[in-house]
Amino acid sequence: MKSYEEVYNIVKNELSEKRFIHSENVAQRCVIFAKLNGVDVEKARLVGIAHDIAKEIPKADRIRISLENNIKLDDIEKENTNLIHAKLGAKLCRDRFGFTDDMCKAIEAHTTAKPNMSLLDKILYLADYCEPNRAFDTVNTIFELGKKNLNSAYYTALVGKIIYTLNKGIKLHIDSINAYNSLIDNKLEG
Ligand SMILES: [Fe+2]
Ligand SMILES: [Fe+2]
């Protein structure tokens, strides 16, 4: 697997400055959440810096490159090609950086979430949602909550993102609905 320094330099060279700063912020948040939850800090830092590596692939190329990489896309991903960078990013991180399965899964789930998220999955999802440059009022409250209770902050982030999607008037991805429903099931059981 490539070192953090190597991945950092590649991300810096290939992404816009704005997206690179976002990635650096996410990596920093990932480290904080990983330390507090006994998760491998190096893995968390790497998924943080690399998670959006495929985000700036032009819209017109996203479906074609996915097919070339044997990535199966569902109808909603074909319709909303912004979603594709999660699966494609995971594949690129595996092939180019040698990321392990657990790391690739976290990158794959960072946009939509999914049921049964691992700690690393939740850490990346939450760090991406509450990095300091995000322009919504409660970003810091969610970050602070995340330091105290990762699960509770993850739930808040998931609901926030679902409401944001509804307000935009676009379709929800089935993985987000399933993620939400599984949390409700677990709450009812608990
Ligand atoms: Fe992303
Ligand atoms: Fe991101």
Side-chain angles (χ1 to χ4, degrees):
M1 183 157 63
K2 284 205 189 306
S3 69
Y4 183 76
E5 204 189 346
E6 287 171 302
V7 176
Y8 178 97
N9 286 329
I10 292 169
V11 171
K12 193 171 186 180
N13 283 332
E14 294 186 10
L15 296 187
S16 63
E17 196 186 353
K18 188 176 173 234
R19 182 110 34 224
F20 172 68
I21 292 168
H22 162 71
S23 304
E24 242 190 331
N25 286 338
V26 172
Q28 281 169 15
R29 294 283 205 239
C30 280
V31 168
I32 293 168
F33 293 141
K35 280 183 182 161
L36 290 166
N37 290 280
V39 168
D40 187 316
V41 173
E42 205 48 32
K43 284 185 175 182
R45 198 155 82 113
L46 278 162
V47 296
I49 198 73
H51 76 285
D52 274 341
I53 189 76
K55 185 113 187 194
E56 292 178 352
I57 292 173
K59 223 173 175 170
D61 299 330
R62 291 172 192 163
I63 294 178
R64 177 185 54 78
I65 296 173
S66 298
L67 295 175
E68 284 168 7
N69 279 281
N70 295 318
I71 294 169
K72 287 199 181 92
L73 300 175
D74 57 43
D75 289 345
I76 296 179
E77 287 163 333
K78 285 179 196 157
E79 232 175 89
N80 176 5
T81 60
N82 283 328
L83 297 173
I84 292 176
H85 80 282
K87 280 184 183 171
L88 193 50
K91 174 79 169 95
L92 296 178
C93 285
R94 184 189 301 278
D95 293 349
R96 298 181 62 193
F97 308 150
F99 280 13
T100 52
D101 281 352
D102 52 342
M103 295 165 80
C104 295
K105 280 182 182 153
I107 292 176
E108 206 172 311
H110 89 265
T111 305
T112 58
K114 63 175 183 187
N116 304 316
M117 297 271 273
S118 71
L119 283 176
L120 185 64
D121 297 343
K122 288 176 190 169
I123 284 171
L124 179 60
Y125 184 89
L126 183 60
D128 186 40
Y129 185 78
C130 73
E131 67 96 346
N133 281 350
R134 292 287 192 204
F136 59 93
D137 294 345
T138 53
V139 61
N140 220 38
T141 314
I142 292 173
F143 173 57
E144 291 303 320
L145 178 63
K147 288 195 281 186
K148 292 190 200 99
N149 187 332
L150 182 70
N151 282 325
S152 167
Y154 163 63
Y155 174 80
T156 308
L158 180 67
V159 170
K161 219 163 164 181
I162 287 174
I163 291 170
Y164 173 80
T165 308
L166 295 177
N167 283 333
K168 265 172 87 179
I170 58 173
K171 287 180 188 171
L172 281 170
H173 192 272
I174 193 73
D175 288 349
S176 305
I177 299 169
N178 288 335
Y180 171 78
N181 286 347
S182 75
L183 288 182
I184 297 300
D185 281 343
N186 291 338
K187 264 193 182 171
L188 292 176
E189 279 164 25

